[in-house]
Amino acid sequence: MQFVTRSQWGARPSRYDLVYIGSTRGVKIHYEGTAVPVALAKDENHTSCAGRVRAIQASHLANRQEDYSDIAYTAMVCPHGYVYEGRGSHRKTGANGNQTLNANHYAVCAMVGDSGLTTPTDKQLAGLRDAVEWLRASGGAGSEIKGHRDGFGTACPGGPLYAWVQKGAPRPGGTTPSKPKPPTYEPFPGVGWFKANPRSPIVTAMGRRLVAVKCSAYRSGPGPQWTEFDRQSYARWQRHLGYSGDDADGWPGPSSWAALKVPKV
């Protein structure tokens, strides 16, 4: 995957904190819905794509009626197949039409429009598949690939792109990939395991998840050795889930551990 991070394309900071989501049913495909120049698809014009993403973010942030927190899309894909990180994985999109739809699916937008460049390139279709598979692997996205119009009254993502979605969103020159294996997570090892001051890659994986959900109290790390910073970070996660008092003491329990979804190591 040719992935372009927010810092690489020059994203502005989010206006508000983005809402965390652990998983979705899948991904909805979008288009820009306005004119996109045909010339954008030329190889020599790839240098314009990052600026296009910046302009779309700026227009969304300037839309006071919608009051967007950030660029509405989870990601954007240019005609050359590059995937531009938008809100990113584990962040609720703002593009699908309402709060429920935004929580149910991520939103990936192709740089095609309702006039000019209306048909996605093969590189772009491959990039869209890359984005879907990234969100499955790193964002808890389910197996569904739908169009924006599925469940919301809109022409998006346009005729050519929606026809591709209806075919199962196959990679160009191939067939629809088999359904990916569901992610596996570390089973809860028991609170006694943590109180025994373990040193394990499980502790590192847990710490990385706590950093990802913005509950870090680490000064450095995380690392494999359980420390007081791990306990403080986990207490922040418990409070994030709504726990308080003894239920937010930083010692992992089965329910909060299941919600954290620590990847299998």
Side-chain angles (χ1 to χ4, degrees):
M1 177 172 66
Q2 300 176 110
F3 190 74
V4 184
T5 66
R6 288 175 62 89
S7 62
Q8 287 172 331
W9 62 259
R12 292 162 55 182
S14 302
R15 178 179 289 120
Y16 313 119
D17 288 340
L18 299 176
V19 176
Y20 172 84
I21 50 174
S23 60
T24 68
R25 295 178 186 174
V27 177
K28 283 190 172 176
I29 304 298
H30 293 243
Y31 75 161
E32 292 189 26
T34 57
V36 175
V38 173
L40 184 68
K42 293 182 178 180
D43 289 344
E44 61 267 28
N45 290 334
H46 174 57
T47 54
S48 301
C49 293
R52 192 169 189 87
V53 182
R54 288 194 296 271
I56 290 170
Q57 185 195 36
S59 70
H60 288 180
L61 290 174
N63 188 334
R64 294 302 183 175
Q65 181 177 354
E66 294 291 345
D67 197 27
Y68 288 116
S69 303
D70 203 320
I71 189 171
Y73 304 114
T74 307
M76 294 195 69
V77 180
C78 76
H80 314 93
Y82 286 71
V83 178
Y84 291 79
E85 182 183 25
R87 296 194 178 195
S89 62
H90 291 300
R91 296 293 178 264
K92 187 166 75 171
T93 182
N96 287 334
N98 60 45
Q99 293 297 324
T100 299
L101 295 172
N102 288 338
N104 284 345
H105 292 84
Y106 290 116
V108 176
C109 180
M111 289 184 195
V112 295
D114 57 7
S115 61
L117 183 63
T118 59
T119 300
T121 67
D122 281 354
K123 289 180 180 179
Q124 196 164 35
L125 295 179
L128 289 167
R129 283 297 322 192
D130 288 341
V132 168
E133 288 156 21
W134 161 60
L135 289 168
R136 287 174 175 174
S138 301
S143 61
E144 294 181 353
I145 304 176
K146 295 189 172 185
H148 182 195
R149 68 177 69 176
D150 292 319
F152 189 76
T154 176
C156 184
L161 198 50
Y162 190 60
W164 174 75
V165 170
Q166 289 183 304
K167 292 177 182 176
R171 279 193 179 273
T175 58
T176 305
S178 59
K179 188 176 292 187
K181 293 181 180 180
T184 57
Y185 304 111
E186 282 293 337
F188 179 54
V191 66
W193 185 82
F194 292 100
K195 290 188 175 182
N197 200 33
R199 183 178 180 86
S200 168
I202 296 173
V203 178
T204 305
M206 177 206 71
R208 288 173 177 167
R209 286 290 298 132
L210 291 169
V211 171
V213 298
K214 297 186 177 181
C215 291
S216 172
Y218 297 105
R219 294 181 182 175
S220 63
Q225 180 63 55
W226 174 267
T227 69
E228 176 63 15
F229 297 118
D230 291 294
R231 193 187 68 79
Q232 291 176 14
S233 298
Y234 204 93
R236 291 185 180 185
W237 170 243
Q238 290 166 325
R239 291 193 294 272
H240 174 79
L241 294 176
Y243 300 155
S244 61
D246 291 343
D247 293 328
D249 59 5
W251 294 111
S255 297
S256 59
W257 183 264
L260 187 57
K261 298 183 183 299
V262 177
K264 190 78 173 175
V265 297

